[in-house]
Amino acid sequence: MSTARAASLPALTQARAPLTREVTVVNEHGASEVISIPAERPLTIYVDRRELVTLMTLGAMPELLVLGYLRNQRLIRDVHEVESIMVDWEVNAASVVTRHGIADIEARTAQRVVTTGCGQGSVFGGLMEELDQVRLDPDARLTQAQLYGLLNAIRLQETTYKSAGSVHGCALFRDETMLMFVEDVGRHNAIDTLAGWMWLQPPAQQGGADKVFYTTGRLTSEMIMKSAQMGVPVVVSRSGITQMGYELARGLGLCAIGRAVNRHFVCYTAPERLVLQPELAASRLAAT
Amino acid sequence: MSTARAASLPALTQARAPLTREVTVVNEHGASEVISIPAERPLTIYVDRRELVTLMTLGAMPELLVLGYLRNQRLIRDVHEVESIMVDWEVNAASVVTRHGIADIEARTAQRVVTTGCGQGSVFGGLMEELDQVRLDPDARLTQAQLYGLLNAIRLQETTYKSAGSVHGCALFRDETMLMFVEDVGRHNAIDTLAGWMWLQPPAQQGGADKVFYTTGRLTSEMIMKSAQMGVPVVVSRSGITQMGYELARGLGLCAIGRAVNRHFVCYTAPERLVLQPELAASRLAAT
């Protein structure tokens, strides 16, 4: 059974490349120092030998990024439609082979929407319409204790950000358990990578209803959109929210929590999903 | 003379809309509070009645944003080619009328490159090639005192960020004098807005050689690219730099300064453009 399923999952390369490089800088004291900066690479996606798009990425998990990108762009509806994703950093290319091709890909990638900075650079047309069909599990809840557990897990996570800065982190949680963490120079890439990862899980675990999406970046319209498309009813951000993000989340009944650091947060929308335990706000942080 | 020039500059609407809205949130103590969040609106650009792209923007200076977008995408080579830009927030549309149309606009907007989050969402093809022709003034310099003056001006600037967060700020300086400041939900919009503003200045003041570009956002490849295209040889960021941003800046001899807050900074590239005055690093900040 699991073999049968595994057999029909895409074949993926495991292309890896350094995520940081050291550079020598001059500081305000006129002294030289060596610091790390994050990598940033172009990755051109070819679908059935047709060039689709070039993403700028840190390059941590390029195969999952490509899979999630195709998923979140609604170009691929079923992971089993993808036969293989081969990434080659020698030529900065990802070659995707589908089992039956992508119907009218020309038309579906024609309309261009440039979303807010930090948001997916180019959302092909029609995503907004699809949101009408999104139904988030009305019973999904997160307790304040679970939220604090989640934020503590993020705080303890070893990251490229800590060593080199200038990257966004995204994570997927079940309650306070971190299932997956990824960083990228573009946070739209980070969430796409999570979407790709979700598609590779056993069917019973692919749903978003029992999951929480965390991002270090702002909750723009597009981050809310993608979370909703992934069926994830709760999003948590270290940063704030934009007006369209707010209105979308409210319309979807998606619980958007921002400014979430240590014991602090604000719940922007769907507060009924957040089980408040205000007494915890005063308690001390777990020692690291 | 100025009348003649003015006569040939584009006619621009002055469309304005609220930049923030208040929302009621629930905090970690279970208490409700009212906070401001930044606006985020779609703005669909029509060039000679042909739909080009939809930008998500704060909406502070939409006419300058559209002009700068067309400039930085190299779709318009001369500001005088633009007859008018009419923005109507009732329909979230910017109608651009050119004097002679845009040659082969179809072909020139066909190639899509999704740049790093926070970078311009969709840079149409060919920009990289053009960088080979960029020549930055080899004599441009910035003193550490001017850098500190610049950072102090930024610190004192009244901003939507201070009231609502979740926006990027960009500014254009001559030495330590702030010429223009703009914020947007996407910092690619903010720098495009600066590019649009520059094009409306008297010819003698349009050049970038004597200017410094400041951004609160990261120095990605694309921010370096746009600065170079605008002829601005020094960029300063509150944040860090990515590897492609670093390599581009080094190749261009563009001075990239990051982590610039108060008295601190690191100079990543072209340090010969930065006149170090380390003795200033120790001196106290001007009182606000």
Side-chain angles (χ1 to χ4, degrees), chain B residues 207-230:
Chain B
D210 62 341
K211 300 191 175 66
V212 176
F213 168 60
Y214 173 88
T215 173
T216 57
R218 294 170 295 161
L219 298 174
T220 60
S221 51
E222 186 222 353
M223 299 302 278
I224 299 295
M225 232 186 287
K226 288 191 173 182
S227 182
Q229 286 168 346
M230 290 155 62

Side-chain angles (χ1 to χ4, degrees), chain A residues 18-29:
Chain A
L19 300 188
T20 63
R21 66 162 287 185
E22 293 194 328
V23 297
T24 302
V25 299
V26 177
N27 65 22
E28 68 270 16
H29 303 293

Side-chain angles (χ1 to χ4, degrees), chain B residues 69-116:
Chain B
Y69 180 85
L70 295 174
R71 176 187 184 179
N72 280 344
Q73 293 291 343
R74 291 298 197 256
L75 294 172
I76 298 281
R77 298 291 177 148
D78 180 340
V79 65
H80 303 100
E81 282 299 302
V82 180
E83 190 168 299
S84 63
I85 300 176
M86 304 291 163
V87 173
D88 181 354
W89 283 127
E90 293 296 309
V91 291
N92 292 323
S95 173
V96 179
V97 176
T98 66
R99 299 189 192 280
H100 310 101
I102 298 179
D104 56 55
I105 185 169
E106 298 287 351
R108 289 162 62 192
T109 60
Q111 186 184 341
R112 216 184 340 256
V113 179
V114 177
T115 54
T116 294

Side-chain angles (χ1 to χ4, degrees), chain B:
Chain B
M1 166 55 193
S2 78
T3 330
R5 183 177 55 74
S8 63
L9 284 177
L12 305 177
T13 49
Q14 300 291 321
R16 296 297 175 259
L19 301 189
T20 64
R21 67 163 287 184
E22 293 194 328
V23 297
T24 301
V25 300
V26 177
N27 65 22
E28 69 269 17
H29 304 293
S32 290
E33 54 181 295
V34 175
I35 65 174
S36 290
I37 62 174
E40 182 188 17
R41 325 181 146 76
L43 181 64
T44 300
I45 303 176
Y46 298 83
V47 177
D48 299 323
R49 295 204 299 279
R50 175 184 177 282
E51 179 174 343
L52 175 63
V53 69
T54 297
L55 305 177
M56 300 302 303
T57 177
L58 180 67
M61 302 176 204
E63 298 84 3
L64 297 183
L65 166 60
V66 170
L67 182 62
Y69 180 85
L70 295 174
R71 176 187 184 179
N72 280 344
Q73 293 291 343
R74 291 298 197 256
L75 294 172
I76 298 281
R77 298 291 177 148
D78 180 340
V79 65
H80 303 100
E81 282 299 302
V82 180
E83 190 168 299
S84 63
I85 300 176
M86 304 291 163
V87 173
D88 181 354
W89 283 127
E90 293 296 309
V91 291
N92 292 323
S95 173
V96 179
V97 176
T98 66
R99 299 189 192 280
H100 310 101
I102 298 179
D104 56 55
I105 185 169
E106 298 287 351
R108 289 162 62 192
T109 60
Q111 186 184 341
R112 216 184 340 256
V113 179
V114 177
T115 54
T116 294
C118 281
Q120 160 60 280
S122 173
V123 177
F124 298 133
L127 291 199
M128 281 302 221
E129 292 73 353
E130 302 212 3
L131 281 183
D132 300 341
Q133 299 143 39
V134 170
R135 293 284 174 272
L136 297 171
D137 179 354
D139 301 326
R141 296 288 182 275
L142 183 73
T143 69
Q144 190 162 346
Q146 289 168 334
L147 174 59
Y148 284 164
L150 175 160
L151 294 176
N152 197 48
I154 290 291
R155 191 168 56 89
L156 300 177
Q157 176 74 24
E158 272 317 306
T159 64
T160 298
Y161 180 81
K162 288 176 183 172
S163 65
S166 297
V167 293
H168 281 296
C170 277
L172 200 64
F173 285 84
R174 182 180 293 110
D175 303 330
E176 60 212 278
T177 306
M178 190 186 291
L179 302 173
M180 172 72 170
F181 177 86
V182 63
E183 293 176 293
D184 207 305
V185 282
R187 88 183 156 176
H188 48 88
N189 289 337
I191 186 171
D192 285 350
T193 303
L194 292 183
W197 179 85
M198 284 173 76
W199 249 9
L200 297 178
Q201 305 314 301
Q205 297 166 34
Q206 282 189 19
D210 62 341
K211 300 191 175 66
V212 176
F213 168 60
Y214 173 88
T215 173
T216 57
R218 294 170 295 161
L219 298 174
T220 60
S221 51
E222 186 222 353
M223 299 302 278
I224 299 295
M225 232 186 287
K226 288 191 173 182
S227 182
Q229 286 168 346
M230 290 155 62
V232 177
V234 181
V235 298
V236 178
S237 169
R238 171 178 300 171
S239 181
I241 196 168
T242 63
Q243 183 170 347
M244 279 197 68
Y246 174 84
E247 285 161 4
L248 264 175
R250 199 172 48 172
L252 290 160
L254 186 150
C255 181
I257 297 169
R259 309 256 169 247
V261 181
N262 299 333
R263 299 265 145 180
H264 306 292
F265 64 83
V266 296
C267 178
Y268 295 107
T269 56
E272 67 277 7
R273 293 189 184 275
L274 179 62
V275 181
L276 287 163
Q277 296 159 301
E279 66 278 9
L280 295 178
S283 61
R284 291 177 57 254
L285 281 173
T288 52

Side-chain angles (χ1 to χ4, degrees), chain A:
Chain A
M1 165 57 192
S2 78
T3 330
R5 183 179 55 74
S8 62
L9 284 177
L12 306 178
T13 49
Q14 299 291 322
R16 296 298 176 257
L19 300 188
T20 63
R21 66 162 287 185
E22 293 194 328
V23 297
T24 302
V25 299
V26 177
N27 65 22
E28 68 270 16
H29 303 293
S32 290
E33 53 181 294
V34 174
I35 65 173
S36 291
I37 62 175
E40 182 188 16
R41 319 180 151 78
L43 181 63
T44 301
I45 303 176
Y46 298 83
V47 177
D48 298 323
R49 294 202 301 280
R50 176 184 177 284
E51 178 174 343
L52 176 64
V53 69
T54 297
L55 305 177
M56 301 300 304
T57 177
L58 179 67
M61 304 176 199
E63 299 84 4
L64 297 182
L65 166 61
V66 170
L67 182 61
Y69 180 86
L70 295 173
R71 176 187 184 180
N72 280 342
Q73 294 292 341
R74 290 298 195 257
L75 293 172
I76 299 280
R77 299 294 178 144
D78 180 339
V79 64
H80 303 100
E81 282 299 302
V82 180
E83 190 170 297
S84 63
I85 301 177
M86 303 291 161
V87 173
D88 181 355
W89 283 127
E90 292 296 309
V91 291
N92 293 321
S95 173
V96 180
V97 176
T98 66
R99 299 189 191 280
H100 310 101
I102 297 179
D104 55 53
I105 185 168
E106 298 286 351
R108 288 162 62 193
T109 59
Q111 185 185 340
R112 216 183 339 256
V113 178
V114 178
T115 55
T116 294
C118 280
Q120 161 61 280
S122 173
V123 178
F124 299 133
L127 291 199
M128 281 300 219
E129 292 73 353
E130 303 211 3
L131 282 182
D132 299 343
Q133 299 144 37
V134 170
R135 295 283 174 272
L136 296 172
D137 179 354
D139 301 325
R141 297 288 183 272
L142 183 73
T143 70
Q144 189 162 346
Q146 289 167 335
L147 174 59
Y148 284 164
L150 174 161
L151 294 176
N152 197 49
I154 289 292
R155 192 167 56 86
L156 300 178
Q157 177 73 25
E158 273 316 307
T159 64
T160 298
Y161 180 82
K162 287 176 182 173
S163 64
S166 296
V167 294
H168 282 296
C170 277
L172 200 63
F173 285 83
R174 182 178 296 112
D175 304 328
E176 62 213 280
T177 306
M178 189 186 290
L179 302 174
M180 171 73 170
F181 177 86
V182 64
E183 293 176 293
D184 207 306
V185 282
R187 88 181 157 176
H188 47 88
N189 289 338
I191 185 171
D192 285 349
T193 304
L194 292 183
W197 179 85
M198 283 173 76
W199 249 7
L200 297 179
Q201 305 314 302
Q205 296 165 35
Q206 282 188 23
D210 62 341
K211 299 190 176 62
V212 176
F213 168 59
Y214 173 88
T215 173
T216 57
R218 294 170 297 161
L219 298 174
T220 61
S221 50
E222 186 226 354
M223 299 303 278
I224 298 296
M225 233 186 287
K226 288 191 173 181
S227 182
Q229 286 167 346
M230 289 156 62
V232 177
V234 181
V235 297
V236 178
S237 170
R238 171 177 300 170
S239 183
I241 196 167
T242 64
Q243 183 171 347
M244 279 197 66
Y246 174 84
E247 285 162 4
L248 265 175
R250 199 173 46 173
L252 290 160
L254 187 151
C255 181
I257 297 169
R259 309 259 167 243
V261 182
N262 299 335
R263 299 266 145 180
H264 306 293
F265 64 82
V266 296
C267 177
Y268 295 108
T269 56
E272 67 276 7
R273 292 189 183 276
L274 179 62
V275 180
L276 287 163
Q277 297 159 300
E279 66 279 7
L280 295 178
S283 61
R284 291 177 59 254
L285 281 172
T288 52

